[in-house]
Amino acid sequence: MNQKLLISILIGLVGISGFSQGMLLPVIAIIFENNGVSSSLNGLHATGLYIGILLISPLMEGPLRKFGYKPLIVAGGLTVILSLGLFPIWQSFWFWFVLRLLIGIGDHTLHFATQTWITAISPLQRRGRNIAIYGLSFSIGFAVGPLMAKLLEISEALPFIISSFMSLLVWTSVFFLKNAFPDQDHDIETSSFFGTLKRFTKVSRYAWVAFLPPFSYGFLEATLNGSFPVYALRSGLDLSSVSIIIPAFAAGSIISQIPLGMLSDKYGRHKILMIIMFTGFLIFTIAGFVDQSTAGLFTCFFAAGIMVGSTFSLGISYMADLLPSNLLPTGNLLCGIFFSLGSITGPFIGGIIIQFLEGGFFFVMSSMLLIIFISLGLFKEKGTEEYSISNTR
């Protein structure tokens, strides 16, 4: 099959996944807020999707090697489509939590398979660019998704129905793909759950700092989309303002995704990550002082998207810089796990801050970015050569 067509289909799948996630977080947050659900419970509920990601991550490497990319994409996409379609059936806190968990499992299965497939088929000289396009597609989908919140004024079921139908349309393209398998020449331990856990330890020794950018992206993405609508409505902003402000973050990342990837190729991932983390710290600190202004928040969200909206793809690229090729699949899994940990932590902390600490919402995010900036500054790269030596002992 033509490689360009294959990559286009995989990137399309990632884009519609971003759309469904971008829709889900603010829509459910607004529905629960209107129904009187507390902000802390609202934030806790948002973690369901990311708990699903966390639960499935250690279990995916074996099935991928055994069944190949296509079956995992089919299974993951079908899980998302069916789950989205079930939301209008019964509005229940815990029923919706289970559906969110299933969407997390399905989405991450799809993401892991597509991300690994794209990495495997991309020539070395174009791998960074392809990963940036992958991240760009997700960002575009995620930017459009929150616009579905406006449809709540018509019907609470409409955003879920539209998202499920659009996911179904894109998912059918998978059946045009010919199945393929990842490289089977790696250590046999990758096929078992405990082998994967053992490799997690190896990978963490050499690339732990590369997992902090995906953590920060998950933290910011889930908090801004899951907790910010509640914070904004309680601060006096209307629904129209919220639906405009939220997509600004993803829109900013759309502009900078590929340029930042190219800059990191030229000047080094470590330097670029330190710059964007510190700049992000400054932007969210400013946001804490203009949180009553629609224009001010829109500007801060857009600027933050430009600077820190590419941290997930940059984290993957930095991880690939730090690890030998035989550990890249495990490194990709850990990027997903840290993304889910950030996504779980963000809305829960955001909900608590909204409920008990008025005015501290944006300062939590700025503090998190400052801590990652300091960690990057303290990290000393060991390199793949040192790994190879220590691995033979």
Side-chain angles (χ1 to χ4, degrees), residues 349-363:
I349 293 178
I352 292 175
I353 293 298
I354 292 170
Q355 190 166 347
F356 299 108
L357 187 61
E358 184 178 351
F361 181 74
F362 289 108
F363 299 119

Side-chain angles (χ1 to χ4, degrees), residues 63-263:
L64 178 67
R65 294 183 180 278
K66 183 177 181 180
F67 301 110
Y69 300 111
K70 182 176 175 178
L72 263 70
I73 294 173
V74 169
L78 185 60
T79 301
V80 172
I81 292 165
L82 294 176
S83 299
L84 286 170
L86 288 173
F87 272 95
I89 302 299
W90 181 31
Q91 187 177 134
S92 163
F93 185 91
W94 290 112
F95 179 64
W96 280 18
F97 184 85
V98 172
L99 291 179
R100 282 184 116 157
L101 188 144
L102 290 174
I103 288 175
I105 290 174
D107 258 335
H108 195 54
T109 301
L110 186 150
H111 272 279
F112 175 64
T114 54
Q115 182 177 302
T116 307
W117 203 349
I118 289 173
T119 304
I121 65 175
S122 297
L124 183 61
Q125 66 272 20
R126 291 202 296 268
R127 186 173 296 162
R129 186 202 66 174
N130 287 346
I131 291 175
I133 295 173
Y134 172 95
L136 177 63
S137 178
F138 183 86
S139 296
I140 292 174
F142 205 87
V144 175
L147 298 177
M148 294 295 102
K150 284 288 291 181
L151 297 179
L152 291 173
E153 298 174 352
I154 302 173
S155 168
E156 288 188 351
L158 199 54
F160 302 108
I161 294 171
I162 291 177
S163 184
S164 179
F165 180 71
M166 292 180 64
S167 298
L168 176 63
L169 288 179
V170 177
W171 175 74
T172 56
S173 66
V174 179
F175 295 97
F176 293 99
L177 302 179
K178 182 180 179 181
N179 192 25
F181 294 81
D183 186 359
Q184 300 293 336
D185 293 331
H186 297 156
D187 295 341
I188 194 170
E189 66 179 18
T190 58
S191 63
S192 71
F193 170 73
F194 292 106
T196 297
L197 292 182
K198 183 178 178 181
R199 290 166 73 85
F200 280 177
T201 303
K202 292 181 180 179
V203 168
S204 298
R205 286 177 56 197
Y206 291 88
W208 61 268
V209 77
F211 306 132
L212 298 182
F215 174 90
S216 71
Y217 183 79
F219 190 103
L220 293 172
E221 176 196 80
T223 305
L224 294 178
N225 287 273
S227 296
F228 173 72
V230 177
Y231 177 80
L233 292 174
R234 293 190 179 186
S235 299
L237 297 176
D238 57 30
L239 184 59
S240 296
S241 297
V242 173
S243 64
I244 293 172
I245 293 170
I246 292 177
F249 179 81
S253 70
I254 290 171
I255 294 174
S256 63
Q257 193 87 224
I258 294 177
L260 281 177
M262 295 173 65
L263 286 172

Side-chain angles (χ1 to χ4, degrees), residues 51 83 112 143 168 182 196 222 226 241 247 278 281 284 339 370:
I51 290 174
S83 299
F112 175 64
L168 176 63
T196 297
S241 297
F278 186 74
F281 155 72
F284 280 110
F339 167 79
L370 180 61

Side-chain angles (χ1 to χ4, degrees), residues 263-314:
L263 286 172
S264 71
D265 285 336
K266 184 175 182 179
Y267 298 107
R269 238 75 68 181
H270 188 266
K271 288 182 180 179
I272 297 301
L273 280 168
M274 287 195 69
I275 291 171
I276 65 177
M277 289 298 172
F278 186 74
T279 307
F281 155 72
L282 294 177
I283 292 170
F284 280 110
T285 299
I286 294 171
F289 293 102
V290 296
D291 59 351
Q292 302 295 316
S293 167
T294 299
L297 287 178
F298 179 88
T299 302
C300 287
F301 272 50
F302 186 70
I306 289 175
M307 296 310 301
V308 297
S310 303
T311 48
F312 185 81
S313 56
L314 284 173

